[in-house]
Amino acid sequence: MKTLIKIFFLNIAFFICLFSKSISDEKIKVGLIVPLTGEYKEIGSSIVKSVNMAVNKINDKILEIHVKDNASNPRDTFLAASELNKLGVKIVIGPIFQENLKLLSNFNEITFLSFTNKINNNPKNVISVGVNAISQINTIKKFQKNDEIKRSLFLVPNNSFKNEIDSAIIKTKINLKDKFIYDTDPTILTSQIEKVTRYHQRKQNLLDEIKRLEDFEDDKYENQIENLKKRDTLGGINFDSVIIGDFDEGLKSVATSLLYTDVSSKRVKYITLNQWFDETLIKEINLQPIYFPSVNRKNFLKFNTEYFDNFGEYSNQISFLSYDVVGLIYYLILKNDHEINNNLFIKEDKFKGKIGIFEINNNIITHQLNFYVIENNKIKKIF
């Protein structure tokens, strides 16, 4: 009898070990949809390399990456998703751009982690992992509090990102003096900035004051008049900071218009959205100091070095993001006992990556960002 009991428990132990092994040997299939042909193939290629770097770093054979080309269009994205669906893939990294998400609602059993930084109007099974407007404005809000900024003017470009900014302003409840939507056409922009900064009124104040002193015909006002003639305007500005929701040449156009209307970064704080450490801003001395939220710069530079050592070229911003996304997926799946389901991104959780901290809650991902200033031709971390 004792022998039978012993054999019984040995058999249970064997089946437990066998079952455990089958779980550990079961592959985690992760899809990757990026453009490997067409206009954006270089970005796609960089993302593939970055994902491979992350997989090698994790060094767990349980991860299995299936790469598909979408040529950066909705039709090929749908075909790529169909192929991954047949392979039993439940989670996909990509695609990059929001316009390629249109047909992905057909795949209810797949969760797509898109690199877009837009979170409005995405299919329900798509989660944006890009650095969205909410993450950026929340970081600016923290800077406002730390620096006792109370009267911010938010300049919002009338482009495809406008609705994201408007939505984020509401959700973050950022403290603003006013919000102004401007036209991105440079020929219209300056006149709009003149209006919102009350440039003509301040210009007229100056002319009126010069005339008033000249009418006295008294030599004692001569130096004062000469000093006034060196100025562009006279009178206060009814905001202490300006948040410019733009990038690249658009940002520089707005800043140039502000300088023209005598609203320099010495008079009010220039704050922008995530600039990814745009090196050209370091050369724009007239715009400095200029403040912005961004990913962790130290980690970004370190990643670029590692990437260059591996591939002999520098990475792009999205490939830096893709490296973290692989780690995020691996972390959440392990926490979920190797199960991939629709609840993976529902529970409130945090993941620390190279970018910073990912905050996951109810199928929305936000980022805890750092804050930087470009001043005296250098980039300095504030927090």
Side-chain angles (χ1 to χ4, degrees):
M1 184 68 178
K2 288 182 179 179
T3 305
L4 287 174
I5 292 172
K6 186 177 181 181
I7 292 171
F8 174 74
F9 280 108
L10 284 171
N11 283 336
I12 289 178
F14 171 76
F15 281 113
I16 289 173
C17 290
L18 184 66
F19 180 69
S20 298
K21 188 175 187 303
S22 68
I23 291 177
S24 62
D25 285 348
E26 187 178 347
K27 297 290 186 182
I28 298 174
K29 294 181 179 180
V30 177
L32 178 60
I33 297 179
V34 289
L36 300 177
T37 56
E39 182 181 356
Y40 300 103
K41 64 181 181 182
E42 290 183 4
I43 297 176
S45 174
S46 181
I47 291 172
V48 172
K49 292 172 182 174
S50 181
V51 166
N52 286 334
M53 276 178 63
V55 171
N56 291 336
K57 190 78 171 180
I58 292 170
N59 193 26
D60 189 340
K61 293 181 180 178
I62 198 170
L63 273 178
E64 191 174 88
I65 308 295
H66 296 266
V67 184
K68 298 295 178 183
D69 176 24
N70 73 335
S72 196
N73 67 69
R75 178 184 171 277
D76 286 332
T77 301
F78 177 84
L79 294 175
S82 298
E83 292 176 15
L84 292 172
N85 190 38
K86 290 175 183 177
L87 292 172
V89 171
K90 301 297 181 185
I91 191 162
V92 173
I93 301 171
I96 299 174
F97 304 111
Q98 189 182 46
E99 53 264 33
N100 294 322
L101 306 177
K102 298 174 184 177
L103 305 175
L104 296 183
S105 57
N106 293 283
F107 305 97
N108 293 324
E109 295 183 357
I110 301 178
T111 299
F112 296 87
L113 301 181
S114 172
F115 294 109
T116 180
N117 60 359
K118 297 177 181 178
I119 60 176
N120 294 327
N121 303 317
N122 290 337
K124 291 182 179 179
N125 59 334
V126 173
I127 299 173
S128 164
V129 295
V131 182
N132 59 48
I134 292 175
S135 302
Q136 297 175 65
I137 292 176
N138 265 331
T139 311
I140 293 172
K141 186 178 176 181
K142 181 179 176 181
F143 176 63
Q144 282 183 325
K145 183 178 179 180
N146 292 352
D147 227 55
E148 298 185 348
I149 296 170
K150 301 182 186 299
R151 295 175 293 119
S152 294
L153 170 65
F154 207 133
L155 299 179
V156 182
N158 191 13
N159 59 20
S160 61
F161 204 56
K162 172 186 170 295
N163 292 337
E164 296 290 326
I165 295 175
D166 285 342
S167 177
I169 287 172
I170 294 169
K171 289 178 180 177
T172 60
K173 297 179 181 178
I174 186 172
N175 182 34
L176 298 177
K177 172 73 171 64
D178 203 356
K179 181 186 78 172
F180 184 80
I181 298 168
Y182 65 87
D183 199 300
T184 54
D185 184 344
T187 61
I188 302 174
L189 174 62
T190 299
S191 62
Q192 290 182 318
I193 298 299
E194 286 177 346
K195 180 179 179 181
V196 76
T197 60
R198 298 167 47 250
Y199 170 70
H200 292 295
Q201 179 60 56
R202 290 183 292 118
K203 185 72 172 177
Q204 189 60 51
N205 289 346
L206 177 64
L207 297 175
D208 290 346
E209 181 64 8
I210 291 172
K211 185 177 186 305
R212 186 182 73 83
L213 294 177
E214 287 178 335
D215 286 345
F216 283 116
E217 296 183 353
D218 192 328
D219 291 342
K220 71 178 182 179
Y221 294 116
E222 188 175 332
N223 288 337
Q224 192 174 344
I225 291 170
E226 288 303 312
N227 288 331
L228 285 172
K229 285 182 177 180
K230 294 175 183 177
R231 300 183 58 166
D232 293 317
T233 63
L234 183 65
I237 302 168
N238 62 355
F239 50 91
D240 57 12
S241 57
V242 55
I243 304 169
I244 308 170
D246 217 331
F247 314 90
D248 302 323
E249 295 308 312
L251 167 63
K252 292 169 188 173
S253 291
V254 174
T256 300
S257 294
L258 287 169
L259 289 172
Y260 172 77
T261 58
D262 197 25
V263 181
S264 72
S265 59
K266 305 297 186 294
R267 298 188 69 182
V268 302
K269 283 184 167 61
Y270 283 10
I271 306 170
T272 77
L273 299 184
N274 179 16
Q275 297 301 313
W276 286 97
F277 314 109
D278 182 356
E279 294 290 332
T280 65
L281 290 176
I282 296 175
K283 300 176 183 177
E284 298 287 344
I285 300 173
N286 290 335
L287 307 187
Q288 298 172 20
I290 186 166
Y291 302 83
F292 60 95
S294 197
V295 301
N296 186 289
R297 184 170 184 257
K298 182 179 178 181
N299 287 347
F300 183 55
L301 295 175
K302 184 179 178 182
F303 172 80
N304 262 330
T305 300
E306 291 176 6
Y307 188 96
F308 187 85
D309 290 343
N310 277 286
F311 308 111
E313 60 187 26
Y314 289 107
S315 68
N316 56 56
Q317 300 148 8
I318 300 176
S319 63
F320 178 54
L321 181 58
S322 67
Y323 183 95
D324 267 358
V325 172
V326 176
L328 173 66
I329 291 171
Y330 182 70
Y331 164 77
L332 291 176
I333 290 174
L334 289 189
K335 280 196 69 175
N336 206 41
D337 295 326
H338 293 79
E339 186 177 354
I340 304 175
N341 53 41
N342 292 333
N343 296 322
L344 203 61
F345 295 89
I346 292 291
K347 297 177 184 177
E348 189 172 347
D349 207 342
K350 291 184 179 181
F351 169 77
K352 186 175 182 179
K354 284 185 175 291
I355 279 180
I357 295 175
F358 288 73
E359 293 186 312
I360 306 115
N361 189 21
N362 200 24
N363 278 351
I364 294 175
I365 291 177
T366 52
H367 301 270
Q368 287 185 12
L369 301 172
N370 296 118
F371 204 76
Y372 296 87
V373 60
I374 299 177
E375 188 172 19
N376 299 324
N377 296 21
K378 292 181 180 178
I379 300 174
K380 178 184 174 184
K381 181 180 175 182
I382 295 178
F383 60 78

